């Protein structure tokens, strides 16, 4: 049976930072991970064992909405369904936490992430031109949304 993403706290901050450094050009360090995890409403779910996590997702829930702050999978373990499992688990936790929608920002040229999110049901709700920089060149951010619960019917 596939391993289920499990809650991850500050005890995994160093392992999360190590994986983030392998996944992003501008990674967040251990202090940044700790700072985010200490914020109310911020959660992480992880796969694998420290110090070598297979993947993790960090997200924030508040005000009836949620936001995926970051998600990454070990480069050696990609295309095996881990990213989808993490994103779906984050969405399930957000829904259980009262969120009716989950948002995220993704670079316009991040084909892998865009396909992953589209496959789950995220859709485009906004563009932020020049939000990221890639080797000095501006890259737009797409804001995506996934509806988690149907809007309440007026009674
Ligand atoms: C994005 C990321 C988390 C995906 O993780 P993953 O474990 O490889 O994803 P999955 O195996 O669950 O893939 C799910 C679906 O996403 C799509 N997908 C994933 N990687 C893809 C790629 N390189 N090219 C095209 N489609 C891809 C496919 O539709 C895939 O389904 P399929 O394998 O059945 O075709 C991973 O590539 C990663 O860590 N990237 C670096 C960090 C990053 O960019 N994070 C997102 C920031 S917004």
């Amino acid at each position: 049976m596939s391993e289920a993403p499990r809650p991850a706290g500050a005890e995994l901050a160093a392992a999360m930072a190590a994986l983030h450094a392998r996944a992003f050009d501008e990674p967040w360090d251990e202090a940044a991970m700790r700072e985010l995890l200490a914020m109310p409403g911020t959660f992480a779910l992880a796969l694998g064992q420290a110090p070598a996590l297979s993947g993790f997702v960090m997200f924030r829930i508040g005000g009836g909405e949620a936001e995926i702050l970051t998600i990454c999978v070990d480069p050696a373990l990609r295309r095996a369904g881990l990213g989808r499992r993490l994103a779906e688990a984050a969405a399930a936790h957000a829904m259980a936490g009262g969120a009716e929608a989950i948002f995220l920002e993704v670079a316009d040229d991040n084909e892998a992430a865009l396909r992953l999110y589209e496959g789950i049901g995220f859709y485009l709700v906004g563009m932020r031109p020049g939000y990221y920089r890639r080797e000095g060149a501006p890259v737009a951010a797409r804001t995506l949304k996934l509806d988690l619960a149907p809007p309440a019917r007026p009674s």
Side-chain angles (χ1 to χ4, degrees):
M1 203 179 80
S2 301
E3 175 193 357
R6 62 187 190 290
E11 74 286 351
L12 289 183
M16 286 190 240
L19 179 53
H20 215 256
R22 299 182 62 212
F24 289 96
D25 292 339
E26 294 181 14
W28 303 347
D29 64 13
E30 181 181 345
M33 295 294 175
R34 284 184 187 281
E35 208 172 299
L36 283 165
L37 287 165
M39 290 171 70
T42 302
F43 305 92
L45 297 169
L47 287 167
Q49 301 299 323
L53 294 179
S54 307
F56 76 94
V57 57
M58 194 182 287
F59 54 101
R60 186 183 293 149
I61 307 174
E65 290 180 358
E67 182 189 6
I68 290 184
L69 302 175
T70 193
I71 181 169
C72 55
V73 168
D74 182 330
L77 301 173
R78 290 186 187 160
R79 285 317 278 275
L82 303 190
R84 186 196 305 266
R85 214 184 303 160
L86 287 164
E88 288 180 345
H93 272 67
M95 198 168 166
E100 293 187 356
I102 186 162
F103 293 84
L104 58 83
E105 245 140 32
V106 55
D108 203 23
D109 61 356
N110 191 341
E111 194 67 25
L114 285 167
R115 293 244 181 278
L116 163 67
Y117 300 136
E118 278 165 13
I120 293 171
F122 278 88
Y123 59 93
L124 183 71
V125 290
M127 292 291 288
R128 304 177 83 175
Y131 188 74
Y132 301 103
R133 297 218 143 250
R134 200 90 65 220
E135 287 161 11
V139 177
R142 293 191 198 188
T143 304
L144 306 186
K145 178 181 180 185
L146 175 69
D147 295 313
L148 298 175
R153 285 224 209 111
S155 50

